[in-house]
Amino acid sequence: MWRDPLIPKAFFSTFLVWDAQLTTLMDSWGEPLTSCSFAGDTIRDFFFCLTVNEYFRIVGSCNGLICLSDDYDSHTDTIVIWNPSIRKSVTLPKPGFKFVPHGACLLGFGFDPLSNDYKVVRIVYQPENYNFKVPPNVELYTLSSGIWRSISAAAPPYVVFNFFPLSTFINGAVHWVASSLCSFIVAFDMGTEAFRELPLPDSVANTDVLKLSITVLGTSLTVIQYEKIWQSDYCWVWVMKQYGVVESWTKLLTIDMREGIRQVVGFRKNSEVLLSARVRGLVSYDPKIQQTEYLGIHGSNRSFYADAYVESLVLLKGESGVLGQANTCNAVSDDGATVSLGEQTGVEEQQKG
């Protein structure tokens, strides 16, 4: 999990929470924490110095590297690739296509096993008649070369959305939700450097794309379908059990969000579902035993990030090899279960007492 950091100019602190391959990252908001316990895991301090924009968000993580961007509330086109295990980072050169007000910019981060290289793809839309001009400009950064190059000839002829500003890296490709005549998933293959489309199940494809977000559950591509754009009463978790096979889409969970739950954040290795709650912040819920735990981590809906993490010795110079598999955790196995979530569950009484 990650709370998009508030960086006090040149100082930035995060905490790494080890849960096997699932790691929690959060900022300190200027208050260093020396020790803490989170579900039996150890939290350690990491320091990251920056002298640029105050606000950053996580674009994605892969093989122990984390990609950060300053587009949380403004754009200075600052992108950083960070290895918290060895406390080293690389600030990317300025991209070729600048962000234009009222336009849109999407980023994706991942690994290309063919060239043994890490890459950042950047999609930039120009505003046109209260919409976005298609096709967009597309450029690609490779860690080994240290430069951006245009690949706009491969740009998709539709709008890739970032209402939920997260992309997902799995099976060698970055994924987003997109829309044309219906909603679908668009993937950018880091090896072939080409876009491709993945259909959604019919009941999801007919949903407004602004009600969809994308993530990974275990080793499966996962889509969260919300009832409404804001303050949904319910959401549904759809899992593609066999990548690329439309018929393998399965509705895994129905989540009741009527009592303060706002958004699905991710999934833990122990099968618990991470959600953001209106008042309590981050919530961990186990659908098997129907037990809710408030984690004491506060922030807005947009301020949380969850992904699998493994330690890495990649030195961010392009020559390092592949280390361990990222983005893996155990899947929730309660097919078709209905999860009822709220903010009461005795926690309020415990805090009052």
Side-chain angles (χ1 to χ4, degrees):
M1 287 82 69
W2 172 273
R3 243 182 59 174
D4 285 312
L6 170 65
I7 303 172
K9 293 299 181 182
F11 177 80
F12 172 61
S13 177
T14 66
F15 309 107
L16 196 57
V17 181
W18 300 100
D19 183 7
Q21 288 184 328
L22 179 64
T23 299
T24 297
L25 294 165
M26 68 200 83
D27 72 296
S28 68
W29 293 72
E31 296 295 331
L33 180 66
T34 56
S35 64
C36 185
S37 177
F38 180 81
D41 300 320
T42 300
I43 300 180
R44 301 188 300 177
D45 291 348
F46 286 87
F47 297 93
F48 184 31
C49 292
L50 288 175
T51 57
V52 289
N53 200 342
E54 289 185 330
Y55 294 92
F56 277 75
R57 72 173 181 90
I58 289 185
V59 173
S61 64
C62 178
N63 294 344
L65 300 184
I66 297 173
C67 183
L68 304 168
S69 172
D70 74 337
D71 59 4
Y72 186 89
D73 67 344
S74 64
H75 288 263
T76 64
D77 294 325
T78 301
I79 303 169
V80 177
I81 299 177
W82 176 40
N83 186 334
S85 298
I86 60 175
R87 305 184 185 188
K88 291 189 176 182
S89 64
V90 166
T91 299
L92 276 58
K94 295 297 182 182
F97 301 113
K98 290 186 177 181
F99 172 80
V100 178
H102 307 296
C105 178
L106 291 90
L107 294 168
F109 174 66
F111 179 74
D112 174 13
L114 300 178
S115 62
N116 200 38
D117 204 358
Y118 293 87
K119 300 180 179 181
V120 177
V121 60
R122 185 169 180 266
I123 307 172
V124 182
Y125 287 94
Q126 304 295 327
E128 183 180 63
N129 299 326
Y130 303 100
N131 207 328
F132 299 132
K133 182 179 179 179
V134 294
N137 291 314
V138 182
E139 55 191 334
L140 190 70
Y141 172 89
T142 55
L143 190 58
S144 61
S145 70
I147 62 173
W148 292 94
R149 57 185 170 88
S150 173
I151 56 170
S152 294
Y158 43 74
V159 176
V160 181
F161 281 84
N162 66 341
F163 182 73
F164 294 94
L166 298 179
S167 58
T168 291
F169 179 74
I170 186 173
N171 280 19
V174 181
H175 300 74
W176 303 267
V177 291
S179 179
S180 182
L181 298 177
C182 63
S183 297
F184 55 92
I185 294 172
V186 59
F188 178 80
D189 191 296
M190 287 293 182
T192 63
E193 299 181 359
F195 290 91
R196 64 174 184 269
E197 292 76 41
L198 296 172
L200 290 165
D202 290 343
S203 61
V204 182
N206 295 324
T207 300
D208 188 326
V209 69
L210 298 181
K211 300 177 183 177
L212 302 176
S213 67
I214 193 166
T215 185
V216 172
L217 196 161
T219 57
S220 298
L221 188 64
T222 302
V223 168
I224 312 299
Q225 177 188 16
Y226 293 91
E227 179 195 18
K228 305 173 185 175
I229 295 177
W230 294 105
Q231 299 184 352
S232 294
D233 292 333
Y234 295 91
C235 72
W236 300 270
V237 178
W238 291 83
V239 173
M240 181 178 262
K241 291 190 172 181
Q242 186 175 351
Y243 184 82
V245 179
V246 180
E247 294 76 18
S248 71
W249 279 112
T250 302
K251 185 189 291 186
L252 190 67
L253 293 171
T254 298
I255 300 178
D256 188 337
M257 306 173 67
R258 290 176 294 180
E259 296 187 48
I261 302 302
R262 290 294 175 253
Q263 185 176 323
V264 175
V265 176
F267 305 89
R268 300 186 66 190
K269 182 178 175 62
N270 62 6
S271 299
E272 294 184 6
V273 186
L274 295 168
L275 306 108
S276 63
R278 183 182 58 210
V279 177
R280 301 297 184 184
L282 197 63
V283 173
S284 185
Y285 181 84
D286 188 340
K288 294 180 179 179
I289 61 175
Q290 298 187 4
Q291 180 176 338
T292 302
E293 179 185 6
Y294 296 96
L295 304 178
I297 303 172
H298 300 280
S300 66
N301 288 337
R302 293 180 60 197
S303 67
F304 296 110
Y305 173 89
D307 201 351
Y309 183 84
V310 291
E311 284 190 299
S312 166
L313 297 177
V314 177
L315 299 179
L316 303 179
K317 293 183 180 179
E319 70 273 18
S320 300
V322 185
L323 299 174
Q325 180 180 356
N327 298 332
T328 57
C329 60
N330 293 337
V332 179
S333 60
D334 294 2
D335 291 359
T338 298
V339 183
S340 181
L341 300 171
E343 291 187 311
Q344 63 282 8
T345 66
V347 176
E348 194 169 18
E349 287 76 11
Q350 293 175 12
Q351 292 189 344
K352 288 180 179 178

